[in-house]
Amino acid sequence: MPTTDTHTPILGSSAATHILLGMLNRRIHVPRAAAEGLEVSDLSVAYDGPPVLTHVSLEVTAGEIVALLGPSGCGKTTLLRTIAGLERQQAGTVRLGHRILDDGTRFVPPERRRIGMVFQDGALFPHLDVGQNVAYGLPRAERRSSRVADTLELVGLADMVDRMPGSLSGGQQQRVALARALAPRPGVLLLDEPFSSLDTSLRVQVRNEIHHLLLELGVTTVFVTHDQEEAFVLGDRVAVLNDGRLAQVGTPDELYRRPVDRWVAAFVGDANLISVDTAIGICRTVVGDVPVVGDVDGPAELLLRPEDIRVEDGDDGVVELVEYYGHDAMVQVRLDDDTTIRVRTGAVLTHQRGDRVGVTYVGPGAVALGV
Amino acid sequence: MTANATDAPRTAVVGHRAGVRRPPRTLVAAAVVTAALFALPGGYVVWRVMGGSGSPLALLASRRTIEPLWRTIQLAVLVSTSTAVLGTGLAWLTTRTDLPLRRLWRIVVPLPLVYPSFVGAAAFISGLAPGGIVHDLVGYLGVDLTTRLHGLTGSWLVLTLFTYPYVYLPVAARLTALPGAFEENARLLGDGPRRVFARVVLPQIWSSIAAGSLLVFLYTVSDFGAVHLMRFETLTQTIFRTRLFDRDRSFTLALLLLVLALLVVAAERTVSRSGRRRGAGLTTLGDRRSLTVPLGRWAAPALAATTSVVGLALVAPAVSLADWGLFGFLRARHGGMPLRLDWHDVLGPTWNTVWISVLTALVATVVVLPVAYLVARHRSRLGEAVNAVVVAGFAIPGLVVALSMIFWTMHASPFEFLIGSMPVLVFAYVVHFGAQAMRTAQVAVGTVPRRMDDAARLLGAGRLRRLATVDLPLMAPGLAAGAGLVMLSTMKELPATLLASPIGFRTLATQIWNTYEALFLPETAILAMVLLCISAVLTWLLVVRRSEHLR
């Protein structure tokens, strides 16, 4: 590690100075200043057949972390690759900071976009060692500088410079891939399902580490996931894509509490949808009175999240299924009118399969979705 | 279950399609030039026949055409049938039974590939001739051996012994990959071992057998050396014999041979493609252990059969050659006729053989690489078309390629300076063997994941830097293997070398041929053994060791 402090020797040798200057050095290398805003407007992409993306517009402010969430095949990876310039768009504009990357007339090729990308499996160059991988994107003069060591230290792998990618664990590979993408100080960082190749226990750990790092560095980040939890945990905002269109963009709680339609409602979490003739003020339903958020004058569905309902002794229906998760449990109740309601309860089970129970709405109010 | 199996590859293809980029123009241009060059020899044959003085149809219908054609097909059918049986049998014995020493057999059985067919034929004929080991041994017993190997029988025997590995290798690989679970299930469903083989194993390996036999068919119709030594006049012989005095006939027959070879290659491609489709998804099955069938009282006969095949195809020719070589040394030592070879006569052709095949291998690899990129990375239709032209080049017998190129250089006005020059020889080799580099090059390009290239691009690397720092290092092992195959084939190739070599350019193959034709058998044996040693090393490294059935 002392080799990284190439600027320090002239300034004395006291340990404190050394450490302080080391930190200063690191500060200088942090690409905070590089973060840029990303703007995608009215983007359409089609391969030989039907369109993959239709009129997608998304604005990411500098330093923000945005998750692209959607089912497989919805076009989220295509959106990411189009931003990177790896796919060509049919229409629309991609802008990074003040630079137009593609507006149909000008096309900046990927190698000149200053965009960092981490692929699903890392895509480390297997024939280059960790240090060479990280140095790959640096200008020739910088490849031998402390930049490589510094970036590796950011991801906590400073001692792995000489290792070959094949000898690293999946989590380490992903962190090297991140270091490689960050080293050239990209304006925006794109992550394509970066945790999906890791097994469950490791995934949460690596995710946390990377989350901290991204926040610390203030990198503008767009990442793709099909995992709702991952999107909510990491994303400052979440953009939900469905079938090539942006269904909704918002903070995680906006999406969860106030989805724009029943598809988003069901995609971002468990949803009980109760049909009502008209949703104004307070609605009388099978689970009791429900205050309505966003009145709909006419037939509508109320979105009742499972944790907003309580199961108690009563006579509304029968417990059909109990899924016990440890930290909580999901109880599915078949009401006497044959609708089923899913209820999230605490870890202490009060009712069992076959019990007759009552269900009551206890939440702050339900969003009404027009049908 | 079935829906799953058919859906999976399709979605994978769709997913890949998404990442496909339009190929750069330079690549397209390179591929078009490649196609034009590879089509030149075949195209010139067609053009010559169409523009010839006589009517090609009348020539085709004449008895002097029908007879060699008939002999060629007869031989090819016989050889491919016998290799199908022999190759499949040996493959089954060495991969699926408890045959004693089967690990050894798996290494040894494909080794007859080492022999160029003319060297093998020469070894057999000289072994039986007076002074040969068999003749002499039998002579000690008081029998004067008058049997000679020649004609259909001789050609059939020799070609079968030296080409069965073309069936053995793919079938053994398939049998090894075939999970035992299929056979176990069939057994549980009530079939005995024989019926399991017929109903489960055979349908699975059928396409490998067919593809292998078709390769043997192609090898046989293109063969020049072995049938020549056996004095069996097939198409190649007639083409060779008439090339100077009756060019119309020579070219018409060349066209006939060309069409025959193309048909065979087309059939081979179809068969192996359908085999791959049928085998798709096999490798995803977890249990890759294959069943071992106990031979019981059949162990001894099976062992005897395997030993005698390997003995005849691998040991006997080597012993016969070694005997002649030794005889030559001893004769010279004891004051008899001296060897008409000195070190110079061995090292010169050896060096020529090595550098011309290395050069050919390099050129072939460079030439096919753009096409491999188009096919494997850009999935381009044009790439597929060029690929087909290159594969067709493989179908054209070396004799025809060389013949066509020689007459082309003689008649194409600005290119006369090429007559009898080294570039023509290398070109003929490249056209004939480029397809061997193509297959491995496509696999090599396919092994570099698109994401790797994308990652390098996003890190700011332009096309040349990506090629130099990412693609080439990752493809190197695959490309080297393909180049090695081309090298191996080039050093074994006889007719193209004989016809297209510049005057005075001697390689091992031509020198073996010339000394044999001059009946200097000890000299032939010594040169042949040098060629066999080099060929053995390459065959071991590139064919046997890499084949899947050893894993």
Side-chain angles (χ1 to χ4, degrees):
Chain A
M1 250 188 316
T3 54
T4 64
D5 301 353
T6 45
H7 317 284
T8 53
I10 16 161
L11 292 166
S13 58
S14 111
T17 329
H18 205 84
I19 291 168
L20 200 68
L21 281 170
M23 285 171 66
L24 268 174
N25 253 347
R26 227 183 104 176
R27 256 283 158 71
I28 293 162
H29 289 296
V30 167
R32 188 182 295 278
E36 290 178 292
L38 175 75
E39 191 191 331
V40 172
S41 47
D42 212 23
L43 190 75
S44 294
V45 176
Y47 304 131
D48 302 335
V52 183
L53 291 174
T54 348
H55 305 299
V56 172
S57 296
L58 179 67
E59 212 171 314
V60 184
T61 55
E64 192 183 22
I65 303 179
V66 167
L68 293 178
L69 175 68
S72 60
C74 71
K76 54 193 190 301
T77 294
T78 303
L79 177 52
L80 208 66
R81 291 176 60 87
T82 312
I83 294 171
L86 297 172
E87 306 288 347
R88 293 299 294 265
Q89 64 206 51
Q90 263 65 50
T93 310
V94 178
R95 196 175 279 136
L96 180 62
H98 302 297
R99 293 186 300 149
I100 290 173
L101 298 183
D102 193 352
D103 61 358
T105 53
R106 269 164 300 179
F107 173 75
V108 181
E111 55 268 36
R112 275 186 254 136
R113 288 198 169 191
R114 289 211 321 113
I115 284 181
M117 185 155 172
V118 175
F119 291 80
Q120 218 169 66
D121 60 355
L124 295 178
F125 305 127
H127 57 298
L128 302 180
D129 67 26
V130 167
Q132 289 166 327
N133 260 288
V134 175
Y136 193 93
L138 294 174
R140 201 172 289 277
E142 242 186 312
R143 277 178 216 161
R144 296 251 167 73
S145 72
S146 58
R147 178 75 189 156
V148 173
D150 291 345
T151 319
L152 275 173
E153 202 180 331
L154 281 182
V155 297
L157 294 174
D159 49 342
M160 301 271 182
V161 197
D162 299 323
R163 295 274 291 271
M164 294 308 280
S167 69
L168 303 179
S169 72
Q172 288 169 332
Q173 286 186 19
Q174 277 314 64
R175 286 187 288 169
V176 174
L178 183 69
R180 184 177 70 176
L182 287 175
R185 304 179 181 82
V188 61
L189 181 67
L190 308 178
L191 311 173
D192 186 6
E193 307 224 15
F195 313 112
S196 64
S197 61
L198 309 178
D199 50 31
T200 331
S201 55
L202 194 63
R203 192 179 307 163
V204 175
Q205 188 202 332
V206 176
R207 190 173 77 191
N208 274 334
E209 288 170 9
I210 291 184
H211 194 187
H212 279 292
L213 187 65
L214 294 178
L215 292 178
E216 189 194 337
L217 298 178
V219 194
T220 314
T221 307
V222 179
F223 76 99
V224 155
T225 178
H226 61 264
D227 180 345
Q228 169 265 126
E229 181 187 294
E230 202 168 285
F232 280 13
V233 171
L234 285 184
D236 294 330
R237 283 189 305 146
V238 177
V240 182
L241 266 168
N242 184 25
D243 206 11
R245 293 167 193 277
L246 266 188
Q248 190 175 358
V249 186
T251 60
D253 73 302
E254 270 169 12
L255 283 176
Y256 192 71
R257 305 299 328 173
R258 308 200 53 178
V260 290
D261 58 30
R262 59 177 298 169
W263 186 87
V264 175
F267 189 70
V268 301
D270 282 300
N272 296 300
L273 292 165
I274 306 275
S275 299
V276 289
D277 293 335
T278 163
I280 296 173
I282 291 179
C283 270
R284 169 140 303 189
T285 70
V286 279
V287 294
D289 291 345
V290 177
V292 175
V293 179
D295 293 348
V296 174
D297 189 6
E301 284 176 323
L302 295 181
L303 167 64
L304 312 177
R305 293 295 184 191
E307 55 276 11
D308 293 343
I309 304 173
R310 187 179 296 155
V311 179
E312 52 209 6
D313 297 332
D315 202 24
D316 292 333
V318 182
V319 176
E320 197 177 43
L321 203 62
V322 177
E323 299 160 8
Y324 189 74
Y325 293 106
H327 45 76
D328 59 13
M330 189 71 85
V331 175
Q332 185 168 312
V333 179
R334 181 169 292 274
L335 301 178
D336 293 342
D337 68 354
D338 223 29
T339 53
T340 52
I341 294 282
R342 286 168 70 79
V343 183
R344 196 176 319 258
T345 70
V348 181
L349 286 180
T350 49
H351 298 87
Q352 288 173 6
R353 188 148 50 95
D355 289 356
R356 275 199 77 78
V357 292
V359 282
T360 316
Y361 185 77
V362 293
V367 71
L369 306 167
V371 283
Chain B
M1 199 56 192
T2 29
N4 219 337
T6 51
D7 277 359
R10 198 177 306 146
T11 46
V13 168
V14 170
H16 203 105
R17 186 86 220 163
V20 172
R21 224 184 283 134
R22 210 171 271 282
R25 269 188 218 115
T26 43
L27 214 53
V28 173
V32 170
V33 172
T34 306
L37 289 177
F38 272 72
L40 181 62
Y44 185 69
V45 171
V46 175
W47 186 80
R48 270 297 291 240
V49 172
M50 293 306 155
S53 52
S55 152
L57 281 179
L59 268 177
L60 278 180
S62 81
R63 239 189 71 212
R64 291 191 302 161
T65 305
I66 301 290
E67 277 180 354
L69 175 64
W70 165 239
R71 279 193 290 266
T72 305
I73 290 178
Q74 211 181 355
L75 179 65
V77 168
L78 276 176
V79 174
S80 43
T81 312
S82 55
T83 49
V85 174
L86 200 58
T88 310
L90 286 170
W92 188 74
L93 279 177
T94 53
T95 60
R96 281 307 170 93
T97 66
D98 58 354
L99 183 74
L101 300 175
R102 63 183 187 283
R103 278 179 177 282
L104 173 72
W105 293 126
R106 277 182 213 170
I107 294 167
V108 170
V109 166
L111 280 184
L113 273 185
V114 167
Y115 293 97
S117 66
F118 70 97
V119 171
F124 266 91
I125 296 172
S126 58
L128 289 174
I133 190 164
V134 179
H135 187 275
D136 289 0
L137 284 181
V138 176
Y140 285 127
L141 301 174
V143 183
D144 184 21
L145 189 70
T146 50
T147 325
R148 299 281 180 272
L149 266 183
H150 63 92
L152 181 62
T153 327
S155 308
W156 169 72
L157 179 74
V158 166
L159 285 171
T160 300
L161 286 177
F162 298 118
T163 57
Y164 76 80
Y166 290 109
V167 179
Y168 171 85
L169 282 170
V171 175
R174 193 88 171 94
L175 277 173
T176 314
L178 193 65
F182 289 154
E183 285 146 87
E184 281 168 353
N185 269 317
R187 293 294 288 273
L188 291 171
L189 291 169
D191 274 353
R194 258 163 238 250
R195 282 174 62 84
V196 170
F197 185 82
R199 293 180 64 193
V200 179
V201 179
L202 207 52
Q204 285 291 339
I205 61 175
W206 185 247
S207 61
S208 304
I209 300 174
S213 312
L214 283 166
L215 273 184
V216 170
F217 197 100
L218 177 69
Y219 190 100
T220 309
V221 299
S222 322
D223 186 69
F224 172 80
V227 287
H228 183 90
L229 298 187
M230 291 293 173
R231 311 280 173 242
F232 188 63
E233 186 160 334
T234 58
L235 279 175
T236 53
Q237 302 307 302
T238 318
I239 294 169
F240 186 71
R241 195 167 47 77
T242 56
R243 75 188 191 284
L244 296 176
F245 312 109
D246 191 356
R247 262 171 228 170
D248 284 339
R249 168 177 305 279
S250 192
F251 269 92
T252 309
L253 292 187
L255 181 60
L256 190 62
L257 184 56
L258 190 66
V259 171
L260 184 64
L262 283 175
L263 287 178
V264 173
V265 166
E268 190 267 340
R269 303 277 290 180
T270 317
V271 167
S272 50
R273 199 171 304 149
S274 83
R276 271 201 296 281
R277 258 204 305 281
R278 203 185 287 190
L282 266 187
T283 45
T284 59
L285 290 174
D287 186 11
R288 301 235 330 170
R289 273 176 309 120
S290 42
L291 279 190
T292 303
V293 178
L295 284 173
R297 63 203 163 87
W298 290 102
L303 189 62
T306 313
T307 314
S308 46
V309 171
V310 171
L312 269 178
L314 191 66
V315 183
V319 170
S320 169
L321 290 174
D323 174 57
W324 272 109
L326 197 64
F327 167 74
F329 272 118
L330 293 177
R331 188 185 60 188
R333 165 87 56 92
H334 296 299
M337 194 165 47
L339 278 177
R340 284 162 186 273
L341 279 178
D342 54 21
W343 280 112
H344 193 70
D345 295 324
V346 177
L347 288 182
T350 306
W351 169 241
N352 283 344
T353 301
V354 169
W355 78 253
I356 194 89
S357 22
V358 169
L359 180 66
T360 304
L362 285 177
V363 174
T365 309
V366 171
V367 164
V368 300
L369 202 53
V371 188
Y373 262 97
L374 283 182
V375 173
R377 183 166 287 180
H378 299 285
R379 308 267 157 144
S380 119
R381 296 244 158 73
L382 175 81
E384 297 285 353
V386 178
N387 183 39
V389 175
V390 173
V391 171
F394 166 68
I396 311 176
L399 175 75
V400 175
V401 176
L403 191 70
S404 167
M405 287 328 296
I406 287 166
F407 285 105
W408 180 76
T409 48
M410 285 164 75
H411 293 101
S413 74
F415 297 107
E416 280 114 348
F417 67 91
L418 286 172
I419 296 174
S421 69
M422 206 59 86
V424 173
L425 178 63
V426 173
F427 179 77
Y429 283 146
V430 169
V431 170
H432 190 33
F433 298 124
Q436 294 181 341
M438 177 71 89
R439 279 195 195 184
T440 45
Q442 282 180 18
V443 173
V445 172
T447 53
V448 182
R450 278 308 304 271
R451 298 178 315 282
M452 221 58 94
D453 197 59
D454 290 343
R457 267 198 114 178
L458 286 167
L459 291 167
R463 192 174 294 147
L464 281 180
R465 181 164 175 229
R466 294 204 298 277
L467 183 68
T469 58
V470 179
D471 291 20
L472 283 180
L474 289 177
M475 294 188 303
L479 292 182
L485 284 178
V486 173
M487 196 180 149
L488 179 60
S489 302
T490 304
M491 56 177 52
K492 286 161 70 179
E493 169 66 22
L494 178 69
T497 319
L498 274 182
L499 280 179
S501 281
I503 293 165
F505 185 69
R506 303 182 304 168
T507 70
L508 284 173
T510 60
Q511 286 310 97
I512 292 169
W513 183 257
N514 292 336
T515 52
Y516 182 87
E517 292 281 271
L519 289 174
F520 297 135
L521 293 184
E523 289 79 358
T524 307
I526 291 167
L527 291 166
M529 283 190 293
V530 175
L531 179 59
L532 291 182
C533 287
I534 307 176
S535 158
V537 172
L538 285 176
T539 307
W540 166 253
L541 288 177
L542 298 164
V543 184
V544 179
R545 200 177 52 112
R546 291 172 65 89
S547 104
E548 291 160 43
H549 79 283
L550 286 181
R551 309 231 164 98

